[in-house]
């Protein structure tokens, strides 16, 4: 942590108060901007709702259920896409964290935090839906199988990512600390995916994302891909909407901090001089 | 926030110790259980393998079946709830302990029976009507 704190702060190239201005915005930033505008968010929401509806009809009514498991197997059409969007989230967190550490541009940090929150949501959903599936088929809500354990670790790492953000008083420092967690935490994603290959467990090996052809009937695979598409659109919608609220929050924070009278500082300073030997120092909040 | 992070870190430590400490080998095969039988008496174990067809006997006291890995076999007894997919030839992981570990034919007393299924998903072979689906499930 100390080495991170000592790193020179990445300087935003654009003026911090107004990071827009088309002249020096990268193509990625323009795309993010379009997706996170109110129209972009609206149409992503519409696309997600349509795809989720179609996916629900196909996976519940159109495709046949697995011969051995029966209708319970239909949980696959939500459990697997939830896991996929969790992987996607953490890949985006890692990418955006690296971009933020390199460029210091706040839109990368917004993308990282939005994706991390979506990742925590979808990882939790993956575990909950897997639990519902595991109870009738395996015979247990939970077991300390390597796949389940590494997935729970993933959830906790990104909960940690979100907790670390708020730790320093300086939001830029919080963003940098969490970016490091976002980069290092991604190492668990391949471990989760390959846990079923590396170690013995109860969880079955991969059906689709594996070397060779998927071990699944074609109609089921098509339904699964539709469900993955629908979840990905939902994910994009949630991330875009969350980035928009984060931008509003960052602007508000900046305006408060750059206000001529810094809140708290002026009235406290003379008092602090008078009671310099008092047992409660300033910044006692850091004791948590 | 520091409190939140502390809770997360403590939970992470618990999960790593509980989940990965001794669970990198989630279950032992019948061959491994029998090879280590003198040392693992009274240890809680997971035994994994296939239910040997023709060995499942259900009674009022519970169930008795044999788990094999192609080389060795271990008899399992217990009154655990059986998942619906439990049956001859099915992959299972049972939790419990080996009783009579030093004897020639130790018996595994299981309190939990888990089904380990494959990663293949196939519709019923007949036309996927509701009737055949029900029949497939009842099998």
């Amino acid at each position: 942590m100390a080495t991170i704190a000592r790193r020179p702060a990445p300087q935003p190239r654009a003026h911090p108060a107004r990071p827009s201005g088309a002249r020096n915005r990268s193509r990625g930033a323009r795309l993010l901007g379009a997706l996170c505008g109110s129209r972009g968010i609206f149409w992503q929401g519409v696309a997600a709702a349509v795809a989720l509806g179609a996916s629900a009809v196909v996976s519940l009514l159109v495709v046949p259920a697995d011969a051995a498991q029966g209708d319970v197997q239909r949980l696959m059409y939500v459990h697997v896409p939830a896991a996929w969007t969790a992987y996607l989230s953490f890949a985006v967190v890692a990418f955006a964290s690296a971009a933020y550490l390199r460029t210091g541009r706040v839109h990368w940090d917004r993308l990282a935090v939005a994706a991390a929150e979506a990742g925590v949501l979808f990882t939790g959903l993956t575990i909950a839906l897997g639990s519902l599936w595991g109870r009738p088929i395996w015979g247990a809500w939970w077991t300390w199988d390597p796949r389940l354990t590494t997935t729970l670790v993933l959830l906790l790492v990104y909960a940690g990512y979100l907790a670390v953000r708020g730790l320093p008083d300086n939001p830029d420092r919080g963003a940098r600390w969490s970016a490091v967690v976002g980069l290092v935490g991604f190492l668990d994603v391949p471990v989760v995916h390959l846990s079923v290959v590396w170690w013995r467990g109860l969880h079955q090996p991969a059906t689709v994302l594996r070397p060779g052809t998927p071990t699944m009937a074609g109609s089921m695979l098509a339904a699964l891909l539709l469900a993955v598409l629908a979840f990905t659109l939902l994910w994009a919608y949630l991330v875009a909407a969350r980035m928009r609220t984060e931008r509003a929050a960052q602007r508000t924070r900046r305006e408060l901090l750059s206000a001529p009278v810094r809140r708290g500082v002026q009235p406290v300073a003379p008092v602090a001089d008078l009671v310099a030997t008092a047992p409660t120092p300033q910044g006692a909040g850091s004791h948590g | 926030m520091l409190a939140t992070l502390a809770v997360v870190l403590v939970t992470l430590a618990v999960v790593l110790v509980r989940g990965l400490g001794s669970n990198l080998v989630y279950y032992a095969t019948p061959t491994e259980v029998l090879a280590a039988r003198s040392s693992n008496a009274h240890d809680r174990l997971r035994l994994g393998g296939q239910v040997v067809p023709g060995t499942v006997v259900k009674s009022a006291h519970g169930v008795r079946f044999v788990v094999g890995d192609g080389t060795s076999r271990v008899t399992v007894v217990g009154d655990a709830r059986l998942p619906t997919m439990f049956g001859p030839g099915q992959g299972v992981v049972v939790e419990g302990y080996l009783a009579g570990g030093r004897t020639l034919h130790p018996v595994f007393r299981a309190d939990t029976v888990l089904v380990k299924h494959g990663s293949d998903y196939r519709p019923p072979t007949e036309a996927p009507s509701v009737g055949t689906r029900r029949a497939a499930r009842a099998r």
Side-chain angles (χ1 to χ4, degrees):
Chain A
M1 281 302 185
T3 54
I4 301 158
R6 257 185 265 117
R7 286 176 60 142
Q11 289 304 316
R13 285 177 200 156
H15 191 274
R18 193 153 290 278
S20 58
R23 56 193 156 76
N24 56 0
R25 289 177 81 194
S26 66
R27 227 172 65 192
R30 280 202 302 273
L31 180 66
L32 279 179
L35 286 173
C36 299
S38 55
R39 281 169 74 100
I41 290 173
F42 173 78
W43 286 111
Q44 284 179 88
V46 170
V50 169
L52 283 170
S55 171
V57 170
V58 167
S59 52
L60 290 175
L61 302 172
V62 177
V63 286
D66 177 59
Q69 296 190 18
D71 283 331
V72 180
Q73 176 264 328
R74 295 178 195 276
L75 274 167
M76 183 177 73
Y77 303 116
V78 280
H79 172 72
V80 173
W84 150 254
T85 38
Y87 287 175
L88 174 67
S89 300
F90 300 136
V92 169
V93 172
F95 175 80
S97 295
Y100 177 72
L101 287 176
R102 212 170 58 83
T103 66
R105 292 188 163 210
V106 282
H107 61 250
W108 291 123
D109 178 54
R110 286 199 290 267
L111 177 60
V113 69
E117 286 183 8
V120 168
L121 172 73
F122 283 107
T123 308
L125 197 62
T126 305
I127 293 173
L129 292 166
S131 187
L132 287 179
W133 195 357
R135 173 65 181 169
I137 298 299
W138 290 350
W141 297 108
W142 176 266
T143 182
W144 291 98
D145 157 282
R147 168 60 74 84
L148 276 63
T149 305
T150 50
T151 308
L152 187 57
V153 167
L154 199 61
L155 181 70
L156 291 167
V157 165
Y158 287 93
Y161 172 97
L162 296 175
V164 160
R165 289 185 68 79
L167 210 52
D169 289 336
N170 181 344
D172 292 338
R173 181 173 293 173
R176 283 202 305 284
W177 287 10
S178 63
V180 174
V181 177
L183 269 176
V184 176
F186 185 72
L187 293 176
D188 190 34
V189 170
V191 176
V192 170
H193 191 69
L194 293 172
S195 58
V196 288
V197 180
W198 291 345
W199 301 297
R200 286 180 198 168
L202 190 64
H203 197 287
Q204 66 281 7
T207 299
V208 179
L209 293 177
R210 65 182 212 105
T213 51
T215 53
M216 176 185 270
S219 60
M220 292 172 156
L221 182 60
L224 183 59
L225 292 178
L226 174 62
V228 165
L229 174 72
F231 267 67
T232 307
L233 290 170
L234 173 67
W235 175 88
Y237 167 71
L238 291 175
V239 169
R242 181 64 186 87
M243 282 180 75
R244 197 171 163 81
T245 59
E246 181 65 16
R247 187 174 61 181
Q250 283 176 350
R251 280 193 179 155
T252 312
R253 207 181 293 134
R254 208 176 288 125
E255 278 161 20
L256 287 175
L257 287 177
S258 62
V261 178
R262 291 195 150 205
R263 292 193 313 158
V265 172
Q266 203 186 29
V268 167
V271 181
D273 286 342
L274 289 174
V275 292
T277 53
T280 36
Q282 268 184 286
S286 64
H287 296 290
Chain B
M1 265 310 174
L2 197 58
T4 316
L5 187 65
V7 168
V8 167
L9 287 178
V10 168
T11 317
L12 189 61
V14 169
V15 166
L16 286 175
V17 170
R18 180 75 180 80
L20 298 179
S22 61
N23 284 277
L24 278 182
V25 179
Y26 178 73
Y27 60 82
T29 63
T31 305
E32 289 164 353
V33 167
L34 291 178
R37 66 178 133 182
S38 55
S39 59
N40 61 20
H42 304 299
D43 285 355
R44 197 172 158 76
L45 300 171
R46 289 196 195 95
L47 168 73
Q50 262 78 45
V51 178
V52 178
T55 62
V56 181
V57 180
K58 289 178 185 169
S59 70
H61 306 295
V63 65
R64 168 186 288 267
F65 55 93
V66 175
V67 170
D69 59 8
T71 309
S72 311
R73 294 173 163 202
V74 173
T75 301
V76 177
V77 296
D79 56 359
R81 206 187 63 90
L82 297 174
T84 48
M85 280 178 74
F86 178 87
Q90 181 66 55
V92 290
V93 173
V94 295
E95 295 180 350
Y97 67 98
L98 199 66
R102 291 170 202 280
T103 63
L104 197 58
H105 294 291
V107 168
F108 194 95
R109 298 200 177 277
D111 50 52
T112 307
V113 175
L114 302 171
V115 158
K116 178 174 166 63
H117 63 84
S119 58
D120 295 6
Y121 297 96
R122 301 277 168 224
T125 42
E126 296 84 6
S129 69
V130 174
T132 52
R133 236 183 283 157
R134 288 226 177 96
R137 222 178 320 155
R139 198 173 51 195

